[in-house]
């Protein structure tokens, strides 16, 4: 693209870039282009649509073209932007973190009322987030429950650095602690609530995932073992020793895994007390009590 002109009206640049995304088979090129152009220019979506004759600065032209080239290669748009919105918070992404999806907000919706009850009853609510990644679930809970505190674990120090940066940028770091841990291995205290969005994709189906997920989300955050349920077995087997009396466990599950995960927790003498569907109507978040 280096030989293309850098003095362009906005409408001409947007038309050029939309055509490139269409040729690449991007599903929603207009939406993605608006995000990339807004990020490069600092203009809002309204300003982009109402200023077609605006002469785009040279550097913004370069940035938009470079971003569009990456998107045309099927790099997820939020990876290009470097952040994603989740439950009203802006969260930075890194190579070590799963990109938070809107479906995961179902787990936050499910847990928030219980966390508020715990905080009202005990004056505080201690939460453990297993496999925190960007810190999305933990930080959303902190944002919604002022008397809550979170210990966020991950096996990746890089992921925990990302989560801590997100806590700091959202001014929630005073109630947020990180801990390198393989599930409960390094945890040495009890909690009112334990949450997790563990890897739940069966190993043999990883290669069938959409290219944008397969090539850009970390495998460790996706691979749930032979049947996709290994993490749930580990959590269910060990979680009781880390819960206060009347404590609860909330997990995200795959769209068809509710029954199987319920069976695993039932075998560990936990009862499913609530379920929350995602935006597509699939059972996505489960809450258990022992």
């Amino acid at each position: 693209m280096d030989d293309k002109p850098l003095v362009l009206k906005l409408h001409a640049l947007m038309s050029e870039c939309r055509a490139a995304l269409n040729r690449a088979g991007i599903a929603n090129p207009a939406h993605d282009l608006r995000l990339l152009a807004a990020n490069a220019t600092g203009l809002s979506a309204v300003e982009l649509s109402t200023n077609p004759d605006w002469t785009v600065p040279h550097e913004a032209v370069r940035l938009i073209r470079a971003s569009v080239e990456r998107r045309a290669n099927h790099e997820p748009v939020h990876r290009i932007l470097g952040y994603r919105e989740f439950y009203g918070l802006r969260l930075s992404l890194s190579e070590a973190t799963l990109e938070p999806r809107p479906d995961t907000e179902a787990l936050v919706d499910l847990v928030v009322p219980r966390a508020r009850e715990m905080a009202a009853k005990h004056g505080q609510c201690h939460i453990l987030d297993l496999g925190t990644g960007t810190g999305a679930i933990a930080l959303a809970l902190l944002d919604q429950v002022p008397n809550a505190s979170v210990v966020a674990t991950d096996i990746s120090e890089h992921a925990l650095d990302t989560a801590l940066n997100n806590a700091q940028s959202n001014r929630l770091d005073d109630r947020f602690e990180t801990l390198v841990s393989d599930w409960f291995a390094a945890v040495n205290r009890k909690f009112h609530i334990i949450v997790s969005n563990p890897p739940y994709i069966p190993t043999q189906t990883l290669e069938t995932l959409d290219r944008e997920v397969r090539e850009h989300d970390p495998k460790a955050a996706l691979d749930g073992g032979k049947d996709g349920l290994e993490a749930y077995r580990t959590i269910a087997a060990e979680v009781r020793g880390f819960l206060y009396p009347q404590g609860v466990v909330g997990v995200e599950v795959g769209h068809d895994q509710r029954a199987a995960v319920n069976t695993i927790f039932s075998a560990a003498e936990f009862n499913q007390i609530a379920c929350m569907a995602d935006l597509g109507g699939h059972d996505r978040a489960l809450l258990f009590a022992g």
Side-chain angles (χ1 to χ4, degrees):
M1 289 191 177
D2 290 344
D3 57 344
K4 292 185 178 180
L6 291 177
V7 178
L8 282 174
K9 299 294 186 182
L10 180 61
H11 68 86
L13 179 60
M14 297 292 274
S15 178
E16 168 200 314
C17 292
R18 261 194 313 272
L21 294 177
N22 276 318
R23 288 193 299 271
I26 300 302
N28 196 347
H31 170 268
D32 290 358
L33 180 55
R34 281 195 298 271
L35 290 176
L36 297 173
N39 189 61
T41 62
L43 297 180
S44 68
V46 172
E47 290 169 327
L48 286 171
S49 64
T50 56
N51 291 279
D53 292 324
W54 180 58
T55 300
V56 186
H58 290 189
E59 184 57 27
V61 172
R62 291 191 183 94
L63 286 173
I64 293 171
R65 283 176 169 164
S67 297
V68 166
E69 187 170 356
R70 291 170 65 183
R71 186 70 189 103
N73 197 38
H74 291 265
E75 183 174 350
V77 66
H78 291 285
R79 293 280 179 190
I80 299 168
L81 296 174
Y83 67 88
R84 179 145 191 174
E85 300 289 332
F86 181 86
Y87 225 85
L89 303 174
R90 176 173 287 201
L91 303 176
S92 296
L93 309 176
S94 69
E95 293 179 358
T97 63
L98 189 73
E99 180 184 329
R101 273 38 175 217
D103 286 343
T104 300
E105 294 189 354
L107 180 55
V108 180
D109 289 338
L110 186 63
V111 172
V112 162
R114 184 57 62 105
R116 288 174 176 164
E117 289 175 12
M118 293 282 191
K121 181 177 181 179
H122 302 289
Q124 56 191 341
C125 179
H126 298 305
I127 301 171
L128 175 66
D129 180 18
L130 296 167
T132 197
T134 60
I137 296 167
L139 296 175
L141 292 172
L142 289 180
D143 187 56
Q144 295 296 310
V145 188
N147 287 346
S149 63
V150 172
V151 174
T153 75
D154 208 288
I155 57 173
S156 167
E157 291 188 33
H158 187 184
L160 291 176
D161 287 342
T162 303
L164 182 57
N165 286 337
N166 283 328
Q168 293 168 341
S169 64
N170 285 284
R171 299 183 180 179
L172 296 167
D173 52 304
D174 59 329
R175 295 179 285 132
F176 183 81
E177 177 185 345
T178 61
L179 176 67
V180 178
S181 185
D182 184 359
W183 301 118
F184 294 102
V187 180
N188 60 6
R189 66 184 94 166
K190 296 191 179 225
F191 300 86
H192 299 106
I193 297 175
I194 296 177
V195 294
S196 185
N197 175 18
Y200 54 70
I201 307 298
T203 302
Q204 65 270 24
T205 66
L206 289 175
E207 290 305 312
T208 69
L209 294 175
D210 185 88
R211 175 182 173 186
E212 295 182 13
V213 175
R214 187 178 70 247
E215 294 183 359
H216 296 281
D217 279 330
K219 183 179 179 181
L222 299 171
D223 190 350
K226 184 176 180 180
D227 61 359
L229 301 171
E230 285 188 4
Y232 300 106
R233 294 190 183 97
T234 298
I235 294 170
E238 300 180 28
V239 69
R240 189 176 301 278
F242 300 92
L243 282 173
Y244 285 124
Q246 286 79 55
V248 296
V249 186
V251 293
E252 179 174 334
V253 300
H255 68 92
D256 58 354
Q257 292 177 326
R258 175 181 178 177
V261 173
N262 187 52
T263 297
I264 290 170
F265 276 87
S266 292
E269 300 185 344
F270 282 86
N271 299 314
Q272 185 185 138
I273 59 173
C275 175
M276 184 74 68
D278 62 23
L279 298 173
H282 301 110
D283 294 331
R284 184 62 64 178
L286 309 179
L287 194 66
F288 295 95

